[in-house]
Amino acid sequence: MLQSQDQSLRPLTTAHLAQTMSLLTLPNQELRDRILAELAANPALELVEERICPTCKRRLANPGPCPACSRPASDDGPIVFLSARDSARPARSSDLDEAPLDREPAAPESLGEYVLAQLAADLRPEDRRLAAYILASLDDDGFIQDPPAFIARATHSTLEQVDRVLKMIARADPPGLATPGPREALMAQLDVLGSDDPRLALARRILNEAFAELGRREFERIADRLQARAEAVRQAAEYIRDNLNPYPGRAFWGSGRHPVSADPNVYHNPDIQITLNPNGGPASLIVEVFAAVSGWLRVNPLFRQAMAQAGEGRSEDWSGDLDRASLFVKCLQQRNNTVRRLMEILVAGQAEFILRGDRFLQPLTRARVAAEIGVHESTVSRAVAHKSIALPDGRIIPLSKFFDRSLSVRDRIKEIVTQEARPLTDDEIVEILEREGVQVARRTIAKYRAMEGILPARLRHRKQPAAAAPA
DNA sequence: CTATGGCACGGATT
DNA sequence: AATCCGTGCCATAG
């Protein structure tokens, strides 16, 4: 901790670089913990309260005018800016009235307060106490252990009331809270998402009828039972894994301390969100890079002042804090800056992909992006790693998908196969793609097929819907 | 003989 | 420096 010798110099460049790199890799969930730890340990750091843009109601993470609103409406280019973390939930007017939100965001209890604040407007006065009781009874995973009847008795409420409030809570921001277990949490999240993703219907059936098998990844067995294609089941499972979270209480407040159950089915709240710009043209997007904490960090000016006034006796102790604080702030700014520039390029180059789906992903390498924004390619690599992004249609995908060379081809292959009149061999698929200007090796088609769970031509006979029934 | 899956090499990523 | 991914070559199933 104390490295008193180093302080004479300013070896900040290397330390700066190292820390920036390490921060860059962190997703918001973990960055948040990191920031809170730093705040607690360093009195020179200060968390300044967030501001809310008066016109568009967005929470701003930086000083200065709101970038989403200060742009002229005629500008159709993408708008990329930093916004205070608030995950996939659009700003609601009711939040603004209850302005003092998580100022001290660490305490797990505040998850309840956070949800309660959202519900405040819609909640009948007589249900308020009930909601508070339920939220207080949630366990760490966000589940409610007690059966509704028990709650009703404990709070002198009717079962109808309890059910209604439970439903409201389950639809609130970390969706799926106050459900009895992972399965119900996932189903509640499906209802909230309600996008038009084709995998959604099957996902719902799987949760309903084959939840245990899903946990064991027995896709073939599920396909059998539901009379569906194994490929479709696999995709639905993928959708569940990417977009839903079986432990709604954990994802929200960071998984740092929990043993995180080796369950890979945990999604992070997005670190970035892209929405359509209602004021701009059809291709105008708003990109919000969420800050990890509400408000913005700076070196406490009072602390700096106090140090200047204090005698020399104390100042060494404090200057260490001061240096660390300003270093930390700089690193954070650098991280934000890098991510912001990265997103500018991604949105500019991949608008089609964002708006129209996997097929339209342009081939893009991290190296090219690195050259474009003038950083080392490993920097881009770190900026992309471990981050997730919410697309306008509600899908939440890892940021690295933007660099997946095979995505568009795999998507095309899926389509070709579903539309084929007779089973096409890998070589024939190669030819089709060739004619479309896409050059891939035959061997690669085989690999992609495997990835998508598509059977080889020999084994996939006719139609797609229900092919696996007879014994 | 043809369509696929296994193994290994070379470039890209981390 | 370690690892991942697209490909080419080869053995094998049908």
Side-chain angles (χ1 to χ4, degrees), chain A residues 92 94-95 98 101 112-121 135:
Chain A
R92 275 210 220 158
S94 61
D95 295 340
E98 317 271 333
L101 41 145
E113 293 169 18
Y114 173 80
V115 175
L116 201 54
Q118 290 173 63
L119 298 180
L135 287 168

Side-chain angles (χ1 to χ4, degrees), chain A residues 167-300:
Chain A
K167 280 213 179 84
M168 286 179 70
I169 295 175
R171 277 198 306 266
D173 179 31
L177 280 181
T179 48
R183 190 170 76 97
E184 292 79 5
L186 292 172
M187 299 205 320
Q189 288 163 28
L190 272 186
D191 291 339
V192 173
L193 267 173
S195 78
D196 50 358
D197 193 296
R199 296 170 292 182
L200 202 136
L202 184 56
R204 183 171 281 120
R205 289 186 59 210
I206 293 175
L207 291 181
N208 260 323
E209 303 172 40
F211 184 65
E213 288 79 2
L214 176 66
R216 296 193 295 268
R217 316 185 71 77
E218 298 172 345
F219 301 128
E220 292 77 8
R221 174 179 301 214
I222 299 175
D224 260 2
R225 176 174 322 167
L226 300 190
Q227 300 280 299
R229 283 177 306 146
E231 173 205 346
V233 170
R234 202 175 296 273
Q235 287 172 20
E238 187 181 318
Y239 177 87
I240 292 173
R241 175 168 53 78
D242 291 346
N243 297 297
L244 308 181
N245 169 18
Y247 301 102
R250 288 187 200 172
F252 194 77
W253 296 109
S255 45
R257 68 198 53 182
H258 298 290
V260 190
S261 79
D263 194 344
N265 290 347
V266 223
Y267 99 122
H268 295 77
N269 280 332
D271 303 292
I272 301 159
Q273 178 184 40
I274 301 184
T275 48
L276 301 173
N277 181 0
N279 301 322
S284 175
L285 299 171
I286 296 180
V287 182
E288 292 178 60
V289 178
F290 293 128
V293 294
S294 328
W296 46 289
L297 277 181
R298 67 175 181 189
V299 176
N300 187 337

Side-chain angles (χ1 to χ4, degrees), chain A residues 305-333:
Chain A
Q305 190 183 333
M307 200 190 80
Q309 290 173 354
E312 298 164 6
R314 288 282 190 72
S315 61
E316 309 102 23
D317 301 340
W318 293 359
S319 76
D321 285 339
L322 203 61
D323 285 347
R324 268 205 304 283
S326 85
L327 174 64
F328 192 72
V329 170
K330 270 186 203 152
C331 291
L332 225 45
Q333 284 172 351

Side-chain angles (χ1 to χ4, degrees), chain A residues 342 345-346 350 362-372 377 380-381 384 402-405:
Chain A
L342 168 67
I345 292 179
L346 288 187
Q350 304 285 15
Q362 301 293 320
L364 179 67
T365 76
R366 293 159 172 86
R368 242 189 30 232
V369 174
E372 209 163 328
E377 55 184 76
V380 176
S381 192
V384 170
F402 277 78
F403 296 90
D404 185 335
R405 277 178 286 175

Side-chain angles (χ1 to χ4, degrees), chain A residues 361 403-411 444 448 451-452:
Chain A
L361 182 69
F403 296 90
D404 185 335
R405 277 178 286 175
S406 65
L407 194 62
S408 66
V409 181
R410 266 160 35 206
D411 193 53
T444 307
Y448 289 171
M451 280 190 213
E452 302 292 345

Side-chain angles (χ1 to χ4, degrees), chain A residues 78-93:
Chain A
I79 302 173
V80 182
F81 69 100
L82 254 160
S83 124
R85 170 190 198 292
D86 204 346
S87 180
R89 187 171 53 101
R92 275 210 220 158
S93 51

